[in-house]
Amino acid sequence: MNTNEISVPAPVQRSIKKVLVANRGEIAVRIMRSARAMGIDTVAVYSAADREAAHVAFADQAVCVGEAPPDQSYLNMDALLRAAEMTGADAVHPGYGFLSENAEFARACARAGLVFVGPPAHAIEVMGDKSQAKQFMRGAGLPCIPGYDGEVQDVAALAEQAQRIGYPVIVKATAGGGGRGMRVVGSADGFAQALESARSEARNAFGDDRMLVEKVVCEPRHIEIQVLVDRYGNGVHFGERDCSVQRRHQKVIEEAPAPNVASDLRDRLGEVAVAAAVKLGYEGVGTFEFLLEGQHSFYFMEMNTRLQVEHPVTEAITGEDLVGWQFRVAMGEPILLRQQDIKFEGHAIEVRLCAEDERRDFMPQSGRIETWLPPADIRVDHAVISGWEISPYYDSMFAKLIAYGKDREEARRKLVKSLRDTVVFGIHTNRQALIRFLEHPAFMAGGVDTGFLQRYQHELAVPEPGHDPVALALAAMVLCRGEAWQSRGMVLLYLRDDMGMTHEVRVTPAAAKDSYAIECPAGTQTLQWRARPRKSAAFGLDGVERPFHWLLVDETVHVQYEGRAASFTDLTYAAAESNQEERVDGRIRATSNGRVVSLLVAEGDDVEQGAPLLTVEAMKMEYTHQAPFAGKVNVVHVAAGDSVMAGRMLLEIQPLAAL
């Protein structure tokens, strides 16, 4: 395609006055911001679980689309179309969730006379099926990863194809996306189990369990190209993003431009992506995903017919509003841009802030965000307020932090500082893990591949429980500063940390006002209290004053200083507890709120150590509990389909030695 020539048709075909945003959270707020800037009224939809959500308050109008089950409300097409009719909306933006890649929803909007702010249904259909997508892209001249994407789907046939391709392979749902319904298999021994696990996840996520098998490309980089195409055949790209830092096929850190990529390769990727999108008859913003092998070879992976979560880094380096472009193309405006008009300046890096417990293998968490103080100096896309409940029904990501700099190192430094300044009390998050990732020498050098987190897992892991005496002293000062000064005597505290260890702490008023001598196992420190607004304060230590944040909820005190955070529970007046370490007793408990997807054993079954017992889905991820030792299943407390809360007993196993 000649990017110097632009097709200029008749003026805008249809204006949008009011748009219903068929999504939630930060996605909905992000879309509404662009709509408002263009003079378009907005309608929010919400489930019963999101009645008090920020995106509901942000919109001009809002409609409840489901009381139960909350996790299905946003996928109820009939309810969404009724909401559009009730509010007089003339357009629907599907966000960038499942409905954005649902061809039937696009057709339903058209039948209802609504502008669908996305590509035409036929493009969604072809690209939504990974097998069809690969066949189309092969015809368009794009190299694809060796694999099998045929119609035969029985286990034996797929296993035979895996053997032909050569291990390691990856099995993935043909209708998949977002890292769900995917498993890497290293040998034939684990193929059947991995296939069934991926199929189960695909059925629950997409209602379609057809799978394809692909060769695993060793040490690849995950590179995306952002394209924009109008209905008149004009197309441009907004450069590439590097999304190689991933866990469980879910992106963790994204940046633009991709570091250490030759300019000729960058140009080739952009050209083939735009040409393929035009050939497809695509309209709007879309994302091509490639695996980059070495410096010159690349393979087409998939095309997402939507905007991506990581689009802010592209906006940062181009100065373009990609959501605004979605609206303009949907209204029939031509793209009056040539490729050479798009300038790439500086560097941007984004991290996904998630409700996860890294000490439990980053399992998703739900619960109340007691305090939320985002950084003020960078872009933060979120829909969070202090006091908001993180629901077990939706994705664990609740905010994105995007830092821009004149070069990569400046963007990285800004992002690290902003993460240190971010305060989240009440739930576990991956905030401190993200800081470690950004500060690892391999990431700082640039160009890491998709194996980065696994390769350096020991260096990147949460530090062994070390007792931060400053955090412990701060918690003690928060708890008893008033009491210590009133009594003018020593206050004795027993504080339990996040790892379950209890510390004896003595707090005594020092000579200076608001000063405390705090004695703990690591020694004695003297702190001075300096009050500040918004649940923050400053403390003086060794002649240096430093800010910190704190929050006291019931018997738990949260503190954060210099990017380090800790929580302590006050056991001073609690009944005495045994300090003996709890032994593994075969009682299997839920690690987070969720739903039992499948029960793999029954009462009386004999199980080997490591045998799968049951699978629980939590916040769009499946987790299979395994037997901690060989034994017999004594009691099963749940059934498939049951909703469970964190800590609920699932089943009990009696060890062989006790039989």
Side-chain angles (χ1 to χ4, degrees):
M1 175 183 166
N2 186 347
T3 56
N4 292 308
E5 298 177 2
I6 298 174
S7 174
V8 183
V12 175
Q13 294 184 348
R14 184 173 180 182
S15 179
I16 295 175
K17 296 178 180 178
K18 183 185 290 187
V19 63
L20 181 145
V21 181
N23 218 303
R24 64 182 297 276
E26 64 91 9
I27 298 171
V29 171
R30 163 70 191 94
I31 293 164
M32 292 175 193
R33 289 189 190 281
S34 286
R36 283 188 174 182
M38 299 176 70
I40 300 171
D41 289 338
T42 58
V43 178
V45 293
Y46 62 93
S47 71
D50 275 346
R51 196 174 300 278
E52 305 300 323
H55 77 276
V56 177
F58 191 84
D60 297 304
Q61 296 177 315
V63 178
C64 180
V65 290
E67 294 293 337
D71 55 338
Q72 295 299 313
S73 300
Y74 295 98
L75 302 179
N76 188 331
M77 291 188 281
D78 290 338
L80 294 170
L81 295 176
R82 282 196 302 271
E85 182 180 11
M86 290 165 55
T87 56
D90 53 7
V92 172
H93 193 303
Y96 25 106
F98 291 144
L99 286 182
S100 64
E101 296 182 300
N102 187 307
E104 180 51 37
F105 186 55
R107 292 192 182 98
C109 288
R111 288 194 297 268
L114 298 165
V115 175
F116 181 76
V117 186
H122 80 270
I124 297 176
E125 209 155 50
V126 174
M127 291 298 107
D129 185 295
K130 287 184 170 62
S131 296
Q132 288 188 62
K134 289 181 182 300
Q135 292 167 17
F136 179 88
M137 291 303 169
R138 288 191 193 101
L142 273 66
C144 294
I145 303 170
Y148 171 77
D149 52 21
E151 293 298 320
V152 181
Q153 289 287 304
D154 63 87
V155 176
L158 292 177
E160 184 180 341
Q161 291 296 332
Q163 197 69 43
R164 176 187 63 80
I165 295 164
Y167 289 97
V169 298
I170 184 168
V171 292
K172 60 172 75 171
T174 63
R180 287 174 286 278
M182 299 171 63
R183 297 291 186 275
V184 173
V185 192
S187 68
D189 292 340
F191 184 84
Q193 182 178 334
L195 177 64
E196 179 50 40
S197 177
R199 274 183 164 157
S200 170
E201 198 168 85
R203 279 193 298 270
N204 286 299
F206 316 115
D208 186 340
D209 64 359
R210 290 174 301 136
M211 310 299 292
L212 58 82
V213 185
E214 285 181 346
K215 176 73 176 174
V216 171
V217 180
C218 295
E219 300 184 358
R221 293 174 63 184
H222 184 127
I223 305 294
E224 297 178 348
I225 295 290
Q226 189 77 77
V227 300
L228 173 67
V229 180
D230 64 23
R231 66 187 60 177
Y232 315 108
N234 301 309
V236 293
H237 69 84
F238 294 107
E240 85 288 352
R241 297 185 290 258
D242 191 324
C243 307
S244 299
V245 181
Q246 302 178 7
R247 177 186 295 105
R248 304 186 188 108
H249 307 293
Q250 296 276 358
K251 299 162 189 172
V252 179
I253 303 174
E254 301 103 352
E255 59 184 308
N260 305 335
V261 169
S263 59
D264 61 333
L265 177 58
R266 177 176 293 124
D267 292 341
R268 269 201 300 151
L269 286 167
E271 288 169 5
V272 298
V274 171
V278 171
K279 181 176 180 179
L280 178 64
Y282 195 78
E283 295 175 24
V285 175
T287 310
F288 280 75
E289 300 194 356
F290 296 95
L291 286 183
L292 180 61
E293 186 176 34
Q295 284 295 314
H296 304 288
S297 299
F298 61 88
Y299 301 100
F300 169 79
M301 236 191 346
E302 62 183 345
M303 182 191 185
N304 288 302
T305 54
R306 57 183 168 89
L307 204 59
Q308 300 274 93
V309 169
E310 56 272 21
H311 76 273
V313 293
T314 297
E315 293 183 325
I317 67 168
T318 62
E320 298 288 345
D321 178 351
L322 297 181
V323 176
W325 273 115
Q326 286 187 301
F327 281 117
R328 287 194 285 274
V329 169
M331 289 188 287
E333 293 186 22
I335 302 168
L336 299 179
L337 277 178
R338 297 171 300 174
Q339 190 61 53
Q340 55 265 42
D341 296 329
I342 300 170
K343 306 300 180 186
F344 305 102
E345 297 180 354
H347 200 97
I349 308 177
E350 171 184 296
V351 292
R352 303 185 181 201
L353 191 59
C354 300
E356 297 174 338
D357 187 349
E358 63 170 317
R359 293 185 185 276
R360 294 186 176 183
D361 195 26
F362 291 90
M363 282 298 295
Q365 304 292 300
S366 57
R368 183 182 176 89
I369 296 182
E370 300 288 355
T371 299
W372 166 243
L373 296 174
D377 300 327
I378 66 169
R379 174 175 172 176
V380 182
D381 283 10
H382 71 96
V384 181
I385 55 174
S386 295
W388 174 240
E389 289 279 345
I390 297 289
S391 167
Y393 302 109
Y394 308 117
D395 197 282
S396 64
M397 186 188 78
F398 62 89
K400 303 179 305 195
L401 279 66
I402 305 100
Y404 173 80
K406 68 179 186 300
D407 55 34
R408 185 175 187 267
E409 178 55 20
E410 181 178 291
R412 190 197 65 83
R413 286 197 311 268
K414 285 183 177 179
L415 191 50
V416 169
K417 185 180 188 316
S418 294
L419 281 165
R420 292 186 188 281
D421 292 344
T422 299
V423 179
V424 190
F425 287 150
I427 59 169
H428 293 288
T429 76
N430 63 339
R431 183 185 65 86
Q432 290 178 280
L434 291 170
I435 294 172
R436 294 197 303 275
F437 301 165
L438 291 166
E439 291 189 324
H440 191 275
F443 181 84
M444 292 174 65
V448 297
D449 59 57
T450 56
F452 167 67
L453 292 183
Q454 184 174 6
R455 184 174 304 113
Y456 298 106
Q457 59 182 320
H458 297 299
E459 298 172 32
L460 296 169
V462 60
E464 286 298 319
H467 307 301
D468 185 339
V470 175
L472 184 60
L474 286 172
M477 182 169 64
V478 168
L479 282 166
C480 70
R481 61 191 180 93
E483 182 178 349
W485 268 99
Q486 288 168 9
S487 65
R488 299 297 298 173
M490 186 269 290
V491 175
L492 178 64
L493 298 174
Y494 292 94
L495 304 182
R496 184 172 62 199
D497 63 24
D498 288 332
M499 298 303 294
M501 297 194 66
T502 301
H503 309 271
E504 183 178 287
V505 184
R506 290 176 167 81
V507 183
T508 307
K513 183 180 179 181
D514 287 331
S515 294
Y516 307 86
I518 302 174
E519 180 186 350
C520 60
T524 301
Q525 300 180 82
T526 299
L527 303 184
Q528 297 83 42
W529 177 280
R530 299 286 185 270
R532 289 184 178 180
R534 298 181 75 194
K535 290 295 183 186
S536 68
F539 69 96
L541 176 63
D542 298 331
V544 178
E545 188 169 299
R546 314 154 202 242
F548 80 102
H549 290 269
W550 62 276
L551 178 69
L552 180 60
V553 181
D554 298 326
E555 303 302 319
T556 300
V557 60
H558 306 274
V559 295
Q560 180 171 320
Y561 77 100
E562 296 179 347
R564 287 172 280 188
S567 299
F568 299 90
T569 302
D570 184 4
L571 301 179
T572 306
Y573 302 108
E577 295 182 359
S578 171
N579 289 327
Q580 291 185 349
E581 189 173 316
E582 206 173 275
R583 63 185 179 84
V584 176
D585 58 4
R587 296 176 180 177
I588 310 300
R589 299 178 184 271
T591 56
S592 62
N593 296 352
R595 180 176 63 87
V596 178
V597 175
S598 59
L599 194 60
L600 306 175
V601 294
E603 291 183 4
D605 285 356
D606 294 326
V607 293
E608 297 296 324
Q609 181 176 357
L613 304 172
L614 78 167
T615 301
V616 175
E617 181 185 42
M619 301 174 89
K620 298 186 179 179
M621 289 178 54
E622 289 191 358
Y623 179 78
T624 299
H625 292 266
Q626 298 177 322
F629 44 68
K632 183 183 293 292
V633 178
N634 244 8
V635 185
V636 177
H637 294 280
V638 294
D642 285 359
S643 294
V644 296
M645 301 293 288
R648 177 176 168 180
M649 191 79 71
L650 302 174
L651 50 81
E652 299 177 49
I653 299 175
Q654 188 175 10
L656 283 179
L659 296 176

